[in-house]
């Protein structure tokens, strides 16, 4: 397989651990191991007795039980692993050269780059900024789904923060069902809705696979744990077969902590939703004061938004902010977009500091 460089990850590799401030993180405030262990007063003794042996490829019994409680798919409809690995395994086990794939856009690059590398025809269902909100064209999607093998979605959406309304979501489900297309639903940000209830998981529908994980809303990216869930066990089984050529199985301590997180998932999500809501209000005020130079569309769900710089080069802004203020800002080109946009990540406690540094940078940049 020949595959293009992962632009976003290469950008993070260059700046993430060298700058002092991060404006564009897609995850939420991380928990410490101690904080997570405090969720269960007896957990430390059980952790000390945990054998560091091989684990079951599908996932630990406790994790599978916890996920079945969330999705109701049955254990055979679940496989666990690193979310990025699971995207890779599903695309390579399901798709074939020549398949037509429709992917929401902009999107995390692996969602469409892997189908491209397999030799699929990738068509983008684009979100467009209209009237102060993000909007897709549902008639356009209907036409795109003709002769389509896989529809790739992501709600709440990274990087725009878009979520369809309930009737719009039902329309997507209906279109997929009528055309017989399989849906791959990236639900890494589910549970981070700002004011709306969570949309139903695609794991509950026929002919669909849902990707979930602990990296974003739960604030546990260091665990590297996620899952695929589906009512179609035959969509999950090939992933397990291919997993024998990658990780084989998960880390035993990682699974132990992931199960603990899943048993306390609402507590983890609530804290980070509270942080996100407070930071979203700060961002709204910040960008409203700068409406002449930047266009801001509030996120409906998830920790990210995708504002547009109205004057000057966004690439120059991002490069200079890292050099002058040690502030990392992610330009839109890493999402294969060229609209002068940049991602803002509002899920961490230190976001107010990063936003203040961004304000200082803008003042000095204006004078140059």
């Amino acid at each position: 397989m020949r595959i293009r460089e992962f632009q976003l990850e290469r950008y993070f590799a260059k700046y993430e651990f060298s700058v002092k401030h991060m404006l564009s993180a897609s995850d939420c405030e991380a928990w410490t191991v101690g904080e997570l262990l405090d969720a269960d007063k007896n957990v430390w003794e059980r952790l000390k007795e945990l054998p560091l042996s091989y684990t079951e490829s599908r996932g630990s019994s406790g994790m599978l039980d916890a996920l079945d409680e969330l999705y109701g798919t049955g254990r055979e409809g679940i496989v666990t692993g690193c979310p990025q690995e699971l995207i890779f395994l599903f695309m390579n086990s399901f798709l074939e050269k020549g398949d037509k794939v429709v992917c929401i856009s902009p999107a995390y690059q692996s969602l469409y780059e892997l189908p491209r590398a397999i030799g699929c025809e990738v068509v983008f269902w684009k979100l467009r900024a209209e009237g102060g909100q993000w909007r897709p064209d549902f008639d356009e999607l209907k036409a795109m789904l003709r002769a389509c093998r896989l529809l790739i979605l992501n709600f709440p959406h990274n990087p725009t923060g878009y979520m369809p309304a309930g009737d719009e979501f039902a329309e997507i489900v209906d279109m997929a069902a009528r055309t017989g297309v399989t849906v791959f639903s990236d639900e890494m940000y589910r549970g981070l809705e700002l004011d709306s209830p969570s949309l139903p998981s695609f794991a509950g529908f026929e002919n669909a696979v849902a990707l979930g994980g602990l990296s974003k809303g739960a604030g546990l990216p260091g665990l590297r744990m996620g899952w695929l869930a589906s009512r179609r066990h035959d969509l999950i089984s090939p992933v397990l077969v291919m997993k024998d050529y990658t990780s084989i199985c998960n880390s035993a301590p990682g699974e132990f902590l992931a199960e603990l997180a899943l048993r306390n998932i609402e507590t983890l999500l609530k804290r980070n939703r509270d942080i996100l809501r407070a930071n979203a209000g700060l961002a709204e005020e910040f960008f409203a004061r700068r409406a002449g130079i930047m266009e801001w569309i509030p996120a409906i769900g998830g920790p990210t938004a995708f504002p547009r710089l109205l004057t000057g080069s966004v690439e120059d802004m991002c490069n200079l902010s890292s050099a002058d203020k040690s502030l990392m800002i992610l330009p839109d080109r890493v999402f294969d977009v060229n609209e002068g946009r940049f991602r803002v990540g509002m899920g961490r406690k230190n976001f107010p500091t990063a936003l203040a540094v961004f304000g200082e940078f803008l003042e000095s940049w204006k004078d140059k």
Side-chain angles (χ1 to χ4, degrees), residues 235-279:
L235 294 176
I236 298 298
S237 296
V239 174
L240 275 168
V241 173
M242 188 165 283
K243 194 180 179 188
D244 293 339
Y245 284 96
T246 55
S247 62
I248 301 176
C249 63
N250 304 320
S251 153
E255 286 191 332
F256 183 95
L257 294 174
E259 181 189 345
L260 179 60
L262 285 166
R263 298 295 183 188
N264 295 275
I265 192 64
E266 284 306 315
T267 299
L268 304 186
L269 288 172
K270 183 184 182 305
R271 185 200 70 171
N272 283 337
R273 278 196 303 267
D274 290 344
I275 293 171
L276 174 56
R277 287 192 181 104
N279 286 341

Side-chain angles (χ1 to χ4, degrees), residues 89-104:
L89 294 178
F90 177 81
M91 299 301 175
N92 279 280
S93 64
F94 180 77
L95 293 171
E96 298 179 1
K97 183 177 180 179
D99 285 344
K100 180 181 177 182
V101 174
V102 175
C103 182
I104 195 167

Side-chain angles (χ1 to χ4, degrees), residues 90-302:
F90 177 81
M91 299 301 175
N92 279 280
S93 64
F94 180 77
L95 293 171
E96 298 179 1
K97 183 177 180 179
D99 285 344
K100 180 181 177 182
V101 174
V102 175
C103 182
I104 195 167
S105 175
Y108 190 59
Q109 189 175 334
S110 60
L111 293 174
Y112 58 87
E113 203 66 58
L114 286 164
R116 272 181 176 168
I118 293 165
C120 299
E121 174 196 359
V122 178
V123 180
F124 291 109
W125 185 39
K126 294 181 180 180
L127 290 172
R128 297 177 175 88
E130 297 176 356
Q133 59 184 328
W134 289 101
R135 296 288 303 167
D137 187 324
F138 290 91
D139 290 333
E140 184 180 64
L141 177 62
K142 183 177 180 180
M144 287 178 173
L145 291 183
R146 297 190 189 106
C148 175
R149 181 95 191 282
L150 184 68
L151 170 61
I152 301 171
L153 300 172
N154 169 217
F155 306 130
H157 182 254
N158 168 33
T160 68
Y162 164 78
M163 281 177 56
D167 58 339
E168 294 171 330
F169 181 81
E171 187 176 355
I172 296 171
V173 171
D174 183 62
M175 278 192 274
R178 283 189 285 106
T179 56
V181 66
T182 298
V183 176
F184 183 90
S185 178
D186 175 351
E187 300 175 4
M188 291 294 293
Y189 298 91
R190 192 163 181 261
L192 288 177
E193 297 77 14
L194 287 167
D195 297 306
S196 306
S198 294
L199 294 168
S201 171
F202 267 96
F205 298 98
E206 290 291 342
N207 229 37
V209 174
L211 172 73
L214 298 172
S215 300
K216 306 303 180 182
L220 299 169
L223 284 186
R224 313 307 303 132
M225 291 299 297
W227 52 84
L228 292 176
S230 177
R231 292 175 63 184
R232 287 276 305 278
H233 301 169
D234 60 311
L235 294 176
I236 298 298
S237 296
V239 174
L240 275 168
V241 173
M242 188 165 283
K243 194 180 179 188
D244 293 339
Y245 284 96
T246 55
S247 62
I248 301 176
C249 63
N250 304 320
S251 153
E255 286 191 332
F256 183 95
L257 294 174
E259 181 189 345
L260 179 60
L262 285 166
R263 298 295 183 188
N264 295 275
I265 192 64
E266 284 306 315
T267 299
L268 304 186
L269 288 172
K270 183 184 182 305
R271 185 200 70 171
N272 283 337
R273 278 196 303 267
D274 290 344
I275 293 171
L276 174 56
R277 287 192 181 104
N279 286 341
L282 290 177
E284 186 96 23
E285 295 171 4
F286 179 94
F287 285 96
R289 293 196 302 270
R290 295 164 177 83
I293 60 171
M294 287 180 285
E295 173 197 63
W296 172 257
I297 299 177
I300 302 172

Side-chain angles (χ1 to χ4, degrees), residues 9-20:
E9 295 300 343
R10 288 298 90 207
Y11 200 94
F12 266 88
K14 183 178 180 180
Y15 292 111
E16 183 175 11
F17 297 103
S18 61
V19 297
K20 294 179 181 177

